[in-house]
Amino acid sequence: MGLLIVGTVALDSVETPFGKADRVLGGSGTFASFAASFFSVPKLVGVVGEDFPESYLELLRSRAVDTAGVVKEKGKTFYWAGKYETDVNVRTTLTTELNVLQTFNPVIPEKFRDSSYLFLANIDPKLQLKVLDQCSGLKFTVMDTMNYWIENTREALDRVLGRVDAVLLNDEEARMLTGTPVLQKAADSILKSFPSMKIVIIKKGEHGAMMFSREGFFALPGYPLDVVKDPTGAGDSFAGGFIGWISRADSTDEVTLRQAVAAGSATASFCCEDFSVDRFRTLDSSELKRRAASIRNCTEFASLDW
Ligand code: AMP
């Protein structure tokens, strides 16, 4: 039952053209959980170090995220620092300190093991495999990854790709994974290489997201934001909104999957409006509903009958 999310819980330092934030709450599992919490009740599994502020765990719990699977280990929390250019689609990673993540062995609490929906957020594919081995009764699993794992742990990554229902990639990762510059061909190649894969989602930052399946194609543009302060975690928030919606609907039919892309896009757009998870602290469902409605509005048009 329910939704399980496994990923990093981090301290991030971020610099964007609009300001700076130092050692704030971040991590792929964190952003995905916040985003999913608007639709479902996520159960988060991850690791933090002794320096991780208790108030950050309380913040997750204040959004009804079940943090029973977040363990505290001796040492420092995973730390990531990045800097964005004027074009915020361009990001440089300044520091990645694995710290407690280096020896992390994800143990899924007994009460989480029968989850129906799973999001394997960006983390070492060897750990993603360990998570899959501990879960039974999964109805739909979505995974994320990044260029580092594509380049350095390809064998383990391919094994994860062969065991999930959906993969989320950005355009650069899709090209790197498949060696083709054409995104449609990249998605096709992933669907062909991994017979149990049903959905390939290619995210294009502020330009939106494309969903490819064996039946067809669906896409949404990015929501045109007035305020962008920090896009860190937007991809993870898209994923959280996407799987959160699916878990809420308890369905993976085409209608639900398209709604899930809209839920992901709407949630990710809010993530960019402030640093860390700050925008999610004040966001309420009515604002999210209004944004989903405007995304729907700006993508509808009458059929061209002539
Ligand atoms: P995104 O902007 O969606 O790509 O995600 C940014 C988040 O990913 C930040 O909060 C980081 O803490 C986290 N992150 C950065 N590098 C890694 C990594 N190698 N593995 C897992 N999470 C990471």
Side-chain angles (χ1 to χ4, degrees):
M1 288 277 289
L3 169 62
L4 175 62
I5 293 177
V6 184
T8 53
V9 180
L11 294 175
D12 287 350
S13 293
V14 181
E15 190 178 337
T16 80
F18 314 102
K20 270 178 166 189
D22 193 36
R23 294 196 169 266
V24 289
L25 178 58
S28 57
T30 302
F31 282 107
S33 296
F34 266 96
S37 74
F38 289 94
F39 308 106
S40 183
V41 182
K43 298 168 271 185
L44 175 61
V45 169
V47 63
V48 295
E50 294 154 309
D51 56 346
F52 192 76
E54 186 60 29
S55 60
Y56 285 168
L57 285 175
E58 274 157 24
L59 196 56
L60 278 155
R61 289 194 280 264
S62 74
R63 287 262 3 127
V65 176
D66 188 333
T67 59
V70 180
V71 291
K72 192 170 258 191
E73 299 286 358
K74 247 188 153 113
K76 283 185 169 174
T77 303
F78 172 72
Y79 174 70
W80 175 82
K83 188 176 175 189
Y84 292 83
E85 302 301 320
T86 313
D87 171 358
V88 289
N89 289 301
V90 184
R91 169 168 90 185
T92 309
T93 290
L94 303 174
T95 315
T96 302
E97 291 172 11
L98 293 177
N99 299 329
V100 288
L101 203 58
Q102 221 152 4
T103 50
F104 181 46
N105 181 27
V107 175
I108 310 302
E110 199 57 48
K111 61 175 183 170
F112 291 1
R113 288 188 183 199
D114 65 347
S115 299
S116 304
Y117 297 95
L118 169 64
F119 176 50
L120 294 167
N122 181 21
I123 202 164
D124 187 335
K126 292 187 212 88
L127 301 184
Q128 293 178 324
L129 284 170
K130 284 188 178 184
V131 173
L132 285 169
D133 288 342
Q134 293 172 64
C135 293
S136 58
L138 286 170
K139 290 188 187 170
F140 198 80
T141 300
V142 181
M143 70 172 289
D144 191 9
T145 193
M146 69 184 295
N147 48 7
Y148 180 82
W149 309 119
I150 298 172
E151 279 168 354
N152 297 298
T153 57
R154 188 56 196 262
E155 202 201 319
L157 179 62
D158 279 353
R159 280 166 54 207
V160 188
L161 284 161
R163 290 177 64 179
V164 301
D165 301 284
V167 61
L168 291 160
L169 299 161
N170 65 32
D171 40 3
E172 183 200 338
E173 291 158 357
R175 293 187 175 106
M176 189 185 278
L177 184 70
T178 58
T180 168
V182 182
L183 295 177
Q184 163 75 44
K185 279 199 177 151
D188 264 3
S189 148
I190 296 167
L191 290 169
K192 279 203 187 93
S193 306
F194 303 99
S196 58
M197 184 74 75
K198 298 180 185 78
I199 302 289
V200 176
I201 292 187
I202 301 184
K203 299 167 291 171
K204 300 176 73 197
E206 64 177 330
H207 305 298
M210 306 191 291
M211 176 169 71
F212 298 88
S213 69
R214 288 172 201 280
E215 287 75 43
F217 165 75
F218 175 69
L220 284 180
Y223 181 79
L225 285 171
D226 297 333
V227 180
V228 176
K229 281 195 186 159
D230 173 17
T232 305
D236 308 312
S237 300
F238 177 95
F242 179 77
I243 191 76
W245 182 268
I246 289 172
S247 155
R248 177 190 182 88
D250 193 21
S251 164
T252 53
D253 64 15
E254 180 67 19
V255 170
T256 306
L257 289 171
R258 289 183 179 213
Q259 287 176 316
V261 174
S265 300
T267 320
S269 69
F270 281 109
C271 173
C272 302
E273 290 185 355
D274 211 338
F275 284 85
S276 178
V277 295
D278 286 357
R279 187 60 182 92
F280 290 142
R281 296 165 83 144
T282 54
L283 181 64
D284 64 40
S285 293
S286 60
E287 286 177 286
L288 200 44
K289 281 181 188 171
R290 276 202 300 279
R291 185 148 302 172
S294 359
I295 292 174
R296 189 168 132 77
N297 246 332
C298 74
T299 50
E300 260 181 343
F301 59 91
S303 74
L304 280 71
D305 298 323
W306 83 91

